[in-house]
Amino acid sequence: MAAPETSTAAVPTLYTNNTLRNAFGGVLSFFILLLIGVLAFSIRLFSVIKYESVIHEFDPYFNYRVTQFLTKKGIYEFWNWFDDRTWYPLGRVIGGTVYPGLTLTAGTIWWLLNSLNIPLSVETVCVFTAPIFSAFASWATYLLTKEVKGAGAGLTAAVLLAMVPSYISRSVAGSYDNEAVAIFALIFTFYLYLKTLNTGSLFYATLNSLAYFYMVCSWGGYTFIINLIPMHVLLCIVTGRYSSRLYIAYAPLVVLGTLLAALVPVVGFNAVMTSEHFASFLVFIIIHVVAFVYYIKGILSPKMFKVAVTLVVTVGMAVCCAVIAVLIALVASSPTKGWSGRSLSLLDPTYASKYIPIIASVSEHQPPTWPSYFMDINVLAFLVPAGIIACFLPLSDASSFIVLYIATSVYFSGVMVRLMLVLAPAACITSGIALSEAFDVLTRSIKFQLPGVTSNAEVDAGETSSDTSEAQTDELKAEKPDDTSKNRPSKKSKKKERELAENPPAKATAKAKAKAEKKRLLALPLEASVISLLLLVVLGAFYVVHSVWAAAEAYSAPSIVLTTRSRDGLHVFDDFREAYAWLSHNTDVNDKVASWWDYGYQTTAMANRTVIVDNNTWNNTHIATVGTAMSSPERAAWEIFHSLDVKYVLVVFGGLIGYPSDDINKFLWMVRIGGGVFPHIKEPDYLRDGQYRIDSQATPTMLNCLMYKLSYYRFVETDGKAFDRVRRTEIGKKYFKLTHFEEVFTTHHWMVRIYKLKPLKNRIRGKAKKSKSKTSSTSSSKRSGTKKKNPWHENERRREVCYSNNCSDSFSAFLSSKPEIEFDYAGYVR
Amino acid sequence: MARTSSSKENAQALFHSLRSAYSATPVNLKIIDLYVGFAVFTALIQVVYMASVGSFPFNSFLSGVLSCVGTAVLAVCLRIQVNKENKEFKDLPPERAFADFVLCNLVLHLVIMNFLG
């Protein structure tokens, strides 16, 4: 701050020159940032241009539906929303079980635009929320990296983040999911934490906890923040870097952050009750002890301090042991040791696949493969180690945070593909630092080499100025190590000017010449630096090409509209929307539609029909019931569906056009999840010698189960051979009829097939007695169905047990009576 | 015997030096210390009450305790910032520190009023 004043006093012209240059630099970086924002926004528009402005995939449809509700009914209705159109007959308390950040953000944007008389539809706002927030995220990355290594690294990191494929995959236009805003919130929270750490200002600490609140609102990944920051604090304390700035950055965050997190209904008391948050409290206590020790150390003489330490250690040990014992007892008394399933599967990667098939069945919860690293962060994977080294060169509090961030996120991304998203910003920041440091070194050595070849006198002046500035910054560094890293370039130029103005030129040149000699030895040879500069540019170009390809080809598909390119042009498969439109136009509003849980959100959002299970997957037993129905023979499935009041069954079938993620490919998971609750469904029954097949070698259980029948019903009529293009075989059982289901709609490319449950026949050919016994059995199963419909039982655990007993009882009773039924219906089938 | 007596002496000397060192702190810092002590004391009373009576309206208990703890933490932050001996905050005027303190307290107590239920 003093520098400009002195230089005005001394040389006004130089001062104006200098401020002009500073202003120019500021304006330039402002425009660069603006362009980065535009880039981040526009690279995500491929999906809108190539397809159309639609919401993508599965979860975004739910978020879209919630946003619609919010904009229609208002915020208070939203908090109290009990949704009876999902999880029939249980329903779901939406207001208390969603992370509201995304919907509130989009709702606010929509409300703001509408009050400005810009009539955009809710859908448009939802589609473009993710690109807008990715622009914000790249600006936040700039700020964060600027805190660590200066503006140059910040700009580089922002560019890298604007087009990192991993982040693009989650934030293309239409991908209206929590991660879209959460990554921005994550980076911004980290920025504010580092800003507080660097300045020690309570103002930024307040902002930090508010940003943390936004993060808690938006994504369950907030636990990453509330564990990473304590880890960093602990690291600082252990390595002896404790400062009162650290206290100001951390202690208010814990108190305010915990309170704010408890305000979000879905988190609630979990913010103080679950182990995910305990680390922060533990570190909170530790930092207080450490702060107190430092304070005492400050006011006492060293000798007295030693005495105090011996006194306190003896007393403190006992207290610590007691506290830890109490904590362990508390944690151990909770059933899951306080950890929720998803977090446990983070710590123990094999946990989910062992105990929770429903988590393991989701492909984004699987560990990633090596190519997926290259696909998602591309050349950044090679730049990250260099960036880590650059972080260590002058290790500050901020750069140690970045090192910790990248280390933990690499681990988490190795556990779950989905968490590659958390790694992406860290990779961008470290690579940004690496690239900018490399450019710094290389251009400097070129600058030293080039003038030596051409001319001497003129360049000497330039060198002296830059060198004296180096010397100055070195001195400054000695004074305040953090300040230099914050705004190095501007300060450097300022100091340079002051140096030129104040020092007698002769002295400066003498000093500088010695320095220049030394520098010349440090500098790289000209050819090497030019070549490596070129190579770096080529590397960057590779990255850009890959990212644009990823944005345009790999990640832009909305997955509800599919396209393929073949010899005779572009094919569009719009079967999903066709089917949902059919449902909404041809069925009653209160009809219940059963499908595998993947299509639940889409059915409620697009067809506006009640579904049995959806992508929320909060009740494993309910999903297992649907899985059991799908893997049972027709009659048993009819019983289950009828007991759930289902009118229509929807299956997705890709055999005709070769769409691989259809229900037959997901079928083994239905068997596994169903079998996990209802033991009469056994996976080996569906496998021939451990192989999953649907051709003539398939097991009879497989060929008779409902999913097979609903998928392949009348399939032989398409080409006469019934050749399945996904499994690449002819199917095992080609000619069969359905007794209890009736095909009502099949889409253009056979991708979605909808069946209606036939009502029971009034009169059954055969003995009257038998039909009587049968109706009584159905009514009893109905009764058991109504029994399990009551979800609000006191003891949930016991309820689930008796529920499963009930069902399996009635199912096994039914299975034992199977021959009779076949006899009953024998005439009908033929 | 000799060891215990020497440690006793040491302890006495320690308390003496602590007292003399603390009496040198400025009055405004002492006021803040009193405030912090009061807040912590109130928090302790609430914890004791919770332990003896029960934590039924858990949000009330939580907001009560966290209000006290938060107040104490923020006051400690203020104390760190206005302390003349602290070299890290030389260029931070005490008025600015106090304004930040008030802002942070405002946010804290707005949240607590919201959470109190």
Side-chain angles (χ1 to χ4, degrees):
Chain A
M1 297 305 113
E5 283 163 30
T6 47
S7 52
T8 25
V11 194
T13 49
L14 264 178
Y15 172 61
T16 48
N17 220 352
N18 177 27
T19 45
L20 206 70
R21 205 146 111 211
N22 274 344
F24 183 67
V27 168
L28 196 66
S29 52
F30 175 76
F31 273 106
I32 291 173
L33 278 179
L34 205 67
L35 284 177
I36 288 173
V38 171
L39 168 73
F41 183 80
S42 51
I43 202 172
R44 287 165 168 83
L45 296 187
F46 277 110
S47 59
V48 173
I49 294 163
K50 286 182 70 181
Y51 298 87
E52 58 185 299
S53 172
V54 284
I55 310 275
H56 289 195
E57 297 199 319
F58 306 108
D59 289 19
Y61 269 96
F62 171 72
N63 296 325
Y64 170 51
R65 184 161 160 260
V66 176
T67 315
Q68 269 183 324
F69 185 89
L70 175 72
T71 51
K72 255 184 230 152
K73 300 274 177 73
I75 180 84
Y76 290 106
E77 287 276 315
F78 167 69
W79 291 125
N80 294 324
W81 184 17
F82 177 79
D83 185 14
D84 57 354
R85 301 198 77 83
T86 60
W87 291 97
Y88 183 83
L90 307 172
R92 178 185 171 196
V93 190
I94 301 250
T97 53
V98 290
Y99 286 99
L102 177 75
T103 38
L104 288 183
T105 309
T108 314
I109 295 175
W110 179 84
W111 174 81
L112 210 70
L113 289 174
N114 262 40
S115 53
L116 290 173
N117 284 328
I118 304 173
L120 283 179
S121 70
V122 179
E123 190 182 6
T124 317
V125 173
C126 292
V127 166
F128 290 104
T129 302
I132 291 171
F133 270 81
S134 52
F136 291 166
S138 51
W139 292 334
T141 310
Y142 164 73
L143 292 172
L144 172 59
T145 320
K146 198 178 150 195
E147 283 303 310
V148 182
K149 281 278 171 183
L155 287 175
T156 323
V159 176
L160 292 179
L161 187 99
M163 47 190 184
V164 64
S166 164
Y167 185 32
I168 286 177
S169 73
R170 289 304 176 131
S171 62
V172 290
S175 173
Y176 179 58
D177 210 347
N178 288 337
E179 288 93 337
V181 297
I183 292 302
F184 158 71
L186 181 86
I187 301 171
F188 198 61
T189 311
F190 285 153
Y191 156 66
L192 283 171
Y193 170 68
L194 289 186
K195 183 85 182 169
T196 324
L197 195 57
N198 282 340
T199 58
S201 146
L202 256 187
F203 173 69
Y204 283 113
T206 317
L207 287 188
N208 186 17
S209 34
L210 290 179
Y212 173 66
F213 175 54
Y214 186 63
M215 178 69 194
V216 178
C217 277
S218 345
W219 196 31
Y222 75 91
T223 45
F224 181 61
I225 296 184
I226 205 60
N227 283 307
L228 183 62
I229 290 181
M231 271 166 77
H232 177 241
V233 170
L234 210 58
L235 184 78
C236 283
I237 291 173
V238 169
T239 53
R241 304 180 74 92
Y242 171 79
S243 64
S244 37
R245 286 172 288 112
L246 189 70
Y247 180 86
I248 292 172
Y250 184 65
L253 173 71
V254 170
V255 177
L256 263 174
T258 304
L259 269 171
L260 285 163
L263 280 185
V264 182
V266 62
V267 178
F269 294 146
N270 283 347
V272 287
M273 303 290 270
T274 53
S275 313
E276 281 100 335
H277 306 80
F278 284 171
S280 64
F281 301 136
L282 196 67
V283 175
F284 183 71
I285 295 168
I286 290 173
I287 201 174
H288 274 93
V289 172
V290 171
F292 191 69
V293 168
Y294 270 80
Y295 171 70
I296 297 289
K297 201 178 185 178
I299 63 168
L300 281 183
S301 61
K303 191 187 157 219
M304 275 294 126
F305 181 67
K306 215 169 238 171
V307 176
V309 166
T310 47
L311 198 73
V312 167
V313 160
T314 44
V315 181
M317 283 300 252
V319 175
C320 267
C321 287
V323 168
I324 288 170
V326 167
L327 267 181
I328 288 175
L330 274 181
V331 172
S333 64
S334 72
T336 55
K337 308 275 177 269
W339 293 83
S340 62
R342 261 177 217 200
S343 313
L344 267 180
S345 70
L346 279 184
L347 294 181
D348 172 16
T350 54
Y351 177 84
S353 51
K354 264 190 241 155
Y355 302 110
I356 318 171
I358 203 134
I359 290 184
S361 75
V362 180
S363 63
E364 63 183 19
H365 292 163
Q366 305 282 351
T369 52
W370 284 113
S372 71
Y373 276 96
F374 189 72
M375 174 72 195
D376 276 354
I377 57 175
N378 201 242
V379 302
L380 303 188
F382 310 120
L383 289 172
V384 163
I388 293 175
I389 292 170
C391 278
F392 269 109
L393 280 176
L395 188 69
S396 63
D397 292 347
S399 65
S400 69
F401 179 76
I402 294 298
V403 172
L404 196 66
Y405 178 21
I406 186 98
T408 46
S409 60
V410 163
Y411 170 72
F412 286 133
S413 73
V415 175
M416 243 189 224
V417 177
R418 191 162 113 122
L419 293 176
M420 197 75 95
L421 198 58
V422 178
L423 169 69
C428 287
I429 291 163
T430 41
S431 327
I433 291 170
L435 271 183
S436 113
E437 293 281 312
F439 271 104
D440 213 30
V441 169
L442 294 176
T443 47
R444 203 170 51 216
S445 48
I446 288 179
K447 221 159 99 189
F448 274 112
Q449 299 288 341
L450 265 186
V453 185
T454 50
S455 68
N456 270 321
E458 189 203 329
V459 179
D460 260 349
E463 267 179 29
T464 48
S465 63
S466 70
D467 271 321
T468 43
S469 79
E470 288 285 321
Q472 269 293 328
T473 40
D474 281 347
E475 275 169 37
L476 239 176
K477 228 175 234 170
E479 278 172 27
K480 264 189 178 179
D482 293 319
D483 262 14
T484 46
S485 62
K486 257 187 294 170
N487 42 8
R488 203 196 304 161
S490 62
K491 207 152 232 174
K492 198 192 264 183
S493 51
K494 271 181 203 164
K495 290 285 163 187
K496 179 204 297 178
E497 301 304 334
R498 187 173 72 159
E499 188 73 15
L500 271 184
E502 282 178 348
N503 278 20
K507 213 173 167 187
T509 41
K511 214 163 106 189
K513 268 205 178 131
K515 263 238 145 178
E517 286 301 313
K518 221 169 98 190
K519 273 275 156 179
R520 205 157 284 185
L521 288 177
L522 280 178
L524 292 165
L526 179 67
E527 294 81 11
S529 47
V530 168
I531 287 171
S532 41
L533 210 58
L534 276 177
L535 283 178
L536 278 184
V537 170
V538 169
L539 197 69
F542 267 128
Y543 177 69
V544 172
V545 168
H546 174 81
S547 303
V548 171
W549 172 81
E553 301 293 333
Y555 294 133
S556 66
S559 97
I560 58 158
V561 186
L562 309 164
T563 57
T564 54
R565 219 175 276 277
S566 64
R567 271 163 291 150
D568 46 338
L570 188 76
H571 287 275
V572 178
F573 302 105
D574 203 0
D575 287 35
F576 286 106
R577 289 193 292 181
E578 190 186 345
Y580 294 131
W582 185 88
L583 272 178
S584 74
H585 284 116
N586 296 288
T587 59
D588 187 68
V589 182
N590 292 317
D591 280 347
K592 283 88 191 169
V593 180
S595 64
W596 189 232
W597 57 267
D598 296 22
Y599 313 104
Y601 278 164
Q602 291 182 349
T603 312
T604 40
M606 284 199 268
N608 193 22
R609 292 295 173 266
T610 308
V611 295
I612 306 299
V613 290
D614 69 19
N615 310 43
N616 181 237
T617 64
W618 62 271
N619 188 331
N620 191 32
T621 318
H622 215 51
I623 292 178
T625 311
V626 174
T628 307
M630 292 297 191
S631 32
S632 304
E634 213 186 323
R635 170 72 197 187
W638 187 90
E639 294 270 343
I640 297 171
F641 281 142
H642 190 71
S643 74
L644 287 168
D645 204 13
V646 169
K647 275 273 173 58
Y648 296 93
V649 180
L650 179 152
V651 293
V652 172
F653 171 62
L656 184 70
I657 54 154
Y659 170 63
S661 55
D662 65 349
D663 277 346
I664 291 286
N665 272 2
K666 292 170 185 170
F667 181 63
L668 269 191
W669 285 110
M670 302 184 202
V671 174
R672 264 170 223 162
I673 293 169
V677 178
F678 305 107
H680 70 274
I681 301 287
K682 294 184 194 67
E683 194 179 332
D685 291 348
Y686 297 84
L687 302 174
R688 172 76 69 194
D689 304 328
Q691 266 190 321
Y692 178 59
R693 50 201 311 169
I694 44 102
D695 54 9
S696 47
Q697 299 293 308
T699 58
T701 325
M702 178 71 213
L703 294 179
N704 282 317
C705 73
L706 183 73
M707 181 49 74
Y708 180 89
K709 284 192 167 177
L710 295 192
S711 289
Y712 292 117
Y713 178 61
R714 291 200 306 114
F715 184 50
V716 70
E717 292 169 27
T718 52
D719 57 354
K721 279 193 299 186
F723 182 77
D724 186 323
R725 293 201 189 163
V726 178
R727 268 66 59 176
R728 301 188 172 283
T729 63
E730 278 183 33
I731 61 171
K733 197 169 157 190
K734 294 175 188 174
Y735 302 95
F736 56 87
K737 278 185 180 164
L738 295 172
T739 24
H740 300 282
F741 293 86
E742 169 187 21
E743 184 186 9
V744 285
F745 186 67
T746 295
T747 55
H748 187 203
H749 302 99
W750 285 52
M751 277 171 65
V752 185
R753 312 193 68 184
I754 301 170
Y755 293 83
K756 191 177 183 178
L757 267 75
K758 276 186 188 167
L760 272 182
K761 287 182 84 70
N762 276 339
R763 195 182 65 82
I764 295 166
R765 212 193 313 171
K767 291 165 201 162
K769 244 186 188 174
K770 227 158 220 172
S771 75
K772 208 178 244 173
S773 75
K774 203 162 64 62
T775 46
S776 76
S777 83
T778 52
S779 72
S780 78
S781 80
K782 248 187 210 167
R783 216 180 302 133
S784 74
T786 48
K787 203 185 271 171
K788 63 190 156 172
K789 269 175 209 164
N790 180 8
W792 310 120
H793 224 268
E794 281 288 317
N795 190 340
E796 190 163 319
R797 189 167 290 269
R798 210 189 60 199
R799 178 176 65 78
E800 278 182 9
V801 169
C802 73
Y803 174 19
S804 60
N805 278 344
N806 248 341
C807 283
S808 57
D809 279 350
S810 63
F811 291 166
S812 55
F814 158 69
L815 282 176
S816 62
S817 67
K818 202 169 149 195
E820 276 180 69
I821 290 156
E822 271 185 358
F823 174 74
D824 264 0
Y825 280 81
Y828 178 73
V829 172
R830 280 181 210 128
Chain B
M1 275 301 150
R3 265 181 72 190
T4 50
S5 69
S6 77
S7 69
K8 212 169 229 173
E9 261 170 40
N10 274 339
Q12 267 173 356
L14 175 69
F15 279 117
H16 189 73
S17 60
L18 264 181
R19 182 173 286 175
S20 61
Y22 188 71
S23 61
T25 49
V27 181
N28 56 353
L29 291 191
K30 277 183 180 167
I31 293 173
I32 294 177
D33 283 343
L34 203 65
Y35 180 64
V36 171
F38 175 70
V40 171
F41 180 65
T42 322
L44 281 181
I45 288 178
Q46 290 182 44
V47 170
V48 168
Y49 179 82
M50 187 273 286
S52 59
V53 176
S55 67
F56 162 56
F58 192 60
N59 49 348
S60 306
F61 162 70
L62 210 59
S63 48
V65 168
L66 282 182
S67 153
C68 294
V69 174
T71 313
V73 163
L74 294 183
V76 169
C77 291
L78 179 70
R79 191 191 190 282
I80 289 171
Q81 288 183 341
V82 298
N83 195 351
K84 291 279 185 304
E85 286 165 25
N86 207 335
K87 297 290 181 295
E88 282 173 274
F89 298 100
K90 248 190 304 187
D91 43 354
L92 187 84
E95 290 82 9
R96 166 72 201 268
F98 191 70
D100 284 351
F101 171 72
V102 168
L103 173 87
C104 208
N105 257 309
L106 259 177
V107 173
L108 176 72
H109 284 97
L110 271 177
V111 174
I112 282 173
M113 272 192 280
N114 201 355
F115 190 61
L116 208 55

